Amino acid sequence: MAANQPDPFRILSIQSHVVSGFVGNRSATFPLQLLGWDVDVANTVQFSNHTGYGRWGGQRFDSDHMSDLFVNLERNGLLRYSRMLTGYMPSSAVVSAVKDLVERQRRKNPDLIYLLDPVMGDMGRGMYVDKSVLPIYKQMLPLSTIVCPNQFEAQILSGLEIRGLESLKEVLLSLHLDHGVRHVLITSVELPEQDLEAIGARRTMEEDGRPAMLLVGSSLEPRSSSEKFEDRGVAKDLKPWFIQFPEVQGYFSGVGDLFAALTLGRFQPPTRNNSSPADGSEEGGGEYCGTAVAKAAEQAIASLQGVLAKTCKVIEEQERLDSERGSKGEGDSLNKGEVDEAVSQIEARVEMMRRRELRIVQSREEIERPVVKYRARWLRDSRLG
């Protein structure tokens, strides 16, 4: 391979790291390797474990540390990535340093495929990073190939609130037209009952009544090199689509990080030698969406469902063994007559978190050969005919 040419099989993943457990880079690396990618990782934090345990140690890395990594990768001719993935970043200075790197990489390789997961907050919880990161994330949006915010993050990036179908479409249009994003995946969307019915979706899964989650995606690219995203005339080309799939009850960390990694790893944009339909087209007509990013999301969800099913199976087996031993699963060695109640509650939380770590290594089959059950469908409003 010629010096400074992008390596077609190498990804740079920039996000958090834990010594024990599976979030951030720990959640992304092994699955991407299973899919055939060489993965270089740059850790934005290194903690003992994820923060859901209630206690953790380690440190957040500053922008000088991150910039030093990037500078010396470049000095040695190692910044030759065909794909990039970014997730949790602990400060606006770090986000800015990463933005500068993506800009340099984009200039060197206009075909860079970059997935931006703008980890900032969640519905009901609000921002869990400093608000100063928001304007820098907005500057990163036009550098991305795919952006996968949750509903809260999509709202604060667009400055609009999702109240129903019409406002959802306005958020998608804003991300495409005002911020230059090519492919948008809003990973969890809440819509009113009447809007779900209008698009043929449900509050619960039809086959078994489990609560349903809704992912909404869309793609919009200029039709020529001279056309700009700011041209509102391209809005008519927007064709949103959605996937409904079962919500797995309980608290699991690293799920979003795993989804982002699998989506990037599975994404196969159309090329001259690839007959896949271009984004925005239909595959043979009908209700199902056959775009490249929708296919990647379908496979990512299928693998994720498999990982969660295997994780839940392990949890159920552990709880069964606890029951047989007369334990309630709150820590086998706790003597509640001697241990302070507050400490007992912490230990119970730690035990729960340990059990709910994703069984990624044990889910190789589900990652490599996912069975796609939940398909992407065009988001058509039945009320509009």
Side-chain angles (χ1 to χ4, degrees), residues 351-366:
E351 179 64 18
M352 181 186 73
M353 290 296 108
R354 275 201 297 257
R355 294 182 176 199
R356 292 187 174 273
E357 292 285 3
L358 297 178
R359 264 56 183 191
I360 290 178
V361 174
Q362 296 84 354
S363 303
R364 179 169 184 161
E365 178 73 18
E366 289 79 3

Side-chain angles (χ1 to χ4, degrees), residues 215-236:
L215 178 148
V216 175
S218 63
S219 300
L220 192 63
E221 296 193 81
R223 292 165 293 193
S224 69
S225 58
S226 61
E227 186 176 61
K228 303 298 183 184
F229 277 108
E230 292 81 1
D231 178 7
R232 309 299 290 195
V234 303
K236 63 180 181 296

Side-chain angles (χ1 to χ4, degrees), residues 44-337:
T44 57
V45 308
Q46 175 153 307
F47 289 161
S48 56
N49 46 266
H50 70 72
T51 58
Y53 280 80
R55 58 188 184 196
W56 67 92
Q59 66 181 96
R60 296 172 172 84
F61 297 125
D62 60 23
S63 59
D64 289 341
H65 172 86
M66 302 305 298
S67 295
D68 190 45
L69 295 180
F70 304 150
V71 165
N72 284 283
L73 284 169
E74 190 161 28
R75 288 176 64 191
N76 290 312
L78 299 174
L79 282 177
R80 297 187 292 140
Y81 302 100
S82 60
R83 301 195 177 195
M84 287 185 62
L85 167 65
T86 61
Y88 175 76
M89 292 180 269
S91 69
S92 58
V94 168
V95 179
S96 183
V98 172
K99 177 183 74 72
D100 292 344
L101 172 67
V102 178
E103 286 175 336
R104 294 197 304 273
Q105 291 300 101
R106 179 67 75 192
R107 285 194 296 268
K108 287 171 38 176
N109 176 20
D111 295 325
L112 174 74
I113 295 174
Y114 167 43
L115 189 147
L116 166 62
D117 184 3
V119 181
M120 290 183 284
D122 208 344
M123 298 295 289
R125 184 177 174 187
M127 292 278 284
Y128 47 67
V129 295
D130 193 277
K131 293 181 180 179
S132 60
V133 304
L134 179 57
I136 308 172
Y137 271 121
K138 289 183 178 181
Q139 295 170 24
M140 296 179 75
L141 289 174
L143 300 171
S144 69
T145 310
I146 305 169
V147 61
C148 55
N150 58 34
Q151 179 170 335
F152 173 81
E153 292 156 348
Q155 290 180 163
I156 63 172
L157 287 168
S158 65
L160 301 169
E161 186 176 349
I162 297 174
R163 299 188 183 91
L165 276 178
E166 292 305 315
S167 54
L168 169 62
K169 292 174 183 176
E170 286 301 315
V171 168
L172 292 171
L173 279 172
S174 175
L175 292 172
H176 288 304
L177 301 180
D178 300 327
H179 297 285
V181 179
R182 281 173 270 184
H183 306 292
V184 177
L185 300 177
I186 305 180
T187 57
S188 55
V189 178
E190 290 285 338
L191 291 177
E193 193 74 40
Q194 62 270 23
D195 285 346
L196 290 174
E197 293 177 1
I199 64 173
R202 299 167 59 92
R203 188 71 65 194
T204 58
M205 300 303 297
E206 189 171 6
E207 66 268 23
D208 55 17
R210 284 182 291 173
M213 293 192 68
L214 182 71
L215 178 148
V216 175
S218 63
S219 300
L220 192 63
E221 296 193 81
R223 292 165 293 193
S224 69
S225 58
S226 61
E227 186 176 61
K228 303 298 183 184
F229 277 108
E230 292 81 1
D231 178 7
R232 309 299 290 195
V234 303
K236 63 180 181 296
D237 296 330
L238 183 69
K239 295 180 179 179
W241 49 269
F242 70 94
I243 305 175
Q244 274 211 294
F245 53 97
E247 177 184 356
V248 178
Q249 298 293 298
Y251 180 94
F252 300 92
S253 293
V255 171
D257 304 324
L258 178 56
F259 172 80
L262 290 169
T263 299
L264 179 62
R266 289 291 186 181
F267 179 63
Q268 295 297 329
T271 65
R272 292 173 185 168
N273 299 319
N274 181 353
S275 59
S276 298
D279 283 288
S281 69
E282 297 192 31
E283 189 180 55
E287 67 172 321
Y288 291 109
C289 170
T291 67
V293 72
K295 289 180 177 180
E298 286 176 344
Q299 291 175 299
I301 288 170
S303 288
L304 190 53
Q305 291 277 309
V307 172
L308 286 169
K310 187 150 286 186
T311 302
C312 289
K313 185 176 180 180
V314 172
I315 294 171
E316 290 169 2
E317 177 63 17
Q318 290 173 331
E319 290 178 347
R320 183 187 66 80
L321 292 174
D322 284 343
S323 179
E324 290 177 357
R325 292 194 299 262
S327 168
K328 295 182 180 178
E330 296 179 344
D332 295 335
S333 63
L334 289 181
N335 183 336
K336 294 178 176 58

